[in-house]
Amino acid sequence: MIFLGPPGAGKGTQAQILEREHGVHAISTGDLLRRNRAEGTALGRAAEGYMDRGELVPDALILAMMEPVVRAAPAGVLLDGFPRTVAQAEALDALLAQCERRAVAILFEIDLGLLEARLVGRWTNPRTGRVYHDVFAPPRVAGIDDDDGGPLIQREDDEPETIRKRLRVYREATAPLVTYYDRAGRLQRLDATANVESVTHTIEGLVGPESNAA
Ligand code: ADP
Ligand code: AMP
């Protein structure tokens, strides 16, 4: 299962809820890349410039990172933030076909004009990736994670100029995936402007036990 949608649409929030409440195995490429940066790996060093500029990390690097991860992932895995280009989607399809699996996409539909407010108010636990919002999903104590009591941070790419760049990149490179999955009859849409609980409810309705998701 793939969560598709612009930055700030709520994909990570919902992935974390599905993990917590339904034991779904979720993989976020953004979190994997940030972990590589924090650990100073070769991949992290290669990716950091692109991430700080709000650009996509090149397909070759992402695919080298994701191929072993996807191969090792259990059935029903949720991919958050991957694929983000048609080339990545084609590579994922080829990989899944080898193990007789297939991906279905859930599109988080939202007016791009609403996203800046979501992203500038986002606070993240850098240790776990859990996200909050200072108005829409506040922690019990401002700046402190509810679970581990440690500090929350604001992502450096969540500042207005980089947000605008990321939204442009989404429109140009990632939005074509909507057609890619829709034409293949593998796209479901949800209203991502609704509140967190309603979006969760919608996803629970879409991802029934009869789902054929990878
Ligand atoms: P994405 O993973 O798609 O980039 P996030 O899940 O990190 O998006 O959400 C972006 C911000 O918007 C976070 O601060 C989050 O708390 C907040 N948010 C997520 N879903 C909703 C929602 N349905 N309504 C309002 N705010 C939301
Ligand atoms: P995210 O946490 O999903 O907002 O991703 C943060 C940043 O990581 C993006 O702006 C990109 O620079 C990079 N990134 C994450 N996933 C991908 C991907 N599938 N392809 C290319 N770059 C990615």
Side-chain angles (χ1 to χ4, degrees):
M1 181 168 49
I2 295 163
F3 276 179
L4 185 61
K11 305 180 297 297
T13 298
Q14 297 299 331
Q16 287 159 18
I17 293 172
L18 293 183
E19 274 191 302
R20 246 192 343 260
E21 295 183 4
H22 297 286
V24 168
H25 183 76
I27 297 168
S28 151
T29 40
D31 284 350
L32 285 179
L33 290 166
R34 282 184 288 277
R35 201 168 312 143
N36 273 275
R37 290 183 64 168
E39 290 168 0
T41 67
L43 170 63
R45 289 198 303 277
E48 62 194 2
Y50 299 101
M51 295 172 77
D52 288 344
R53 290 190 297 274
E55 295 167 7
L56 293 183
V57 175
D59 289 336
L61 290 175
I62 295 292
L63 292 171
M65 173 176 84
M66 289 306 286
E67 184 176 332
V69 171
V70 170
R71 279 191 197 284
V77 67
L78 167 61
L79 301 175
D80 167 19
F82 173 82
R84 250 161 149 121
T85 64
V86 171
Q88 290 179 18
E90 288 170 346
L92 176 65
D93 276 346
L95 189 59
L96 290 175
Q98 288 171 18
C99 21
E100 295 181 359
R101 296 195 285 173
R102 70 182 191 129
V104 297
I106 295 183
L107 175 64
F108 284 58
E109 287 190 301
I110 185 164
D111 184 320
L112 298 193
L114 296 174
L115 296 172
E116 187 166 328
R118 285 200 182 180
L119 292 171
V120 295
R122 172 159 68 181
W123 289 80
T124 306
N125 178 334
R127 299 165 297 284
T128 63
R130 180 165 177 182
V131 294
Y132 297 86
H133 190 281
D134 53 16
V135 178
F136 307 133
R140 284 196 294 269
V141 179
I144 300 294
D145 184 65
D146 289 353
D147 297 326
D148 68 14
L152 301 174
I153 58 156
Q154 289 198 284
R155 277 170 48 176
E156 283 184 17
D157 58 349
D158 280 346
E159 58 84 32
E161 199 178 316
T162 316
I163 290 171
R164 282 193 286 275
K165 176 71 180 289
R166 287 157 65 208
L167 294 178
R168 260 199 319 276
V169 168
Y170 174 78
R171 273 198 304 269
E172 288 163 13
T174 308
L177 290 183
V178 175
T179 310
Y180 180 92
Y181 287 107
D182 201 16
R183 278 207 188 124
R186 292 190 283 150
L187 185 80
Q188 297 193 287
R189 301 165 185 267
L190 62 78
D191 174 12
T193 57
N195 66 36
V196 172
E197 292 72 23
S198 331
V199 175
T200 304
H201 192 67
T202 305
I203 296 172
E204 288 168 342
L206 292 176
V207 188
E210 72 284 358
S211 158
N212 242 350

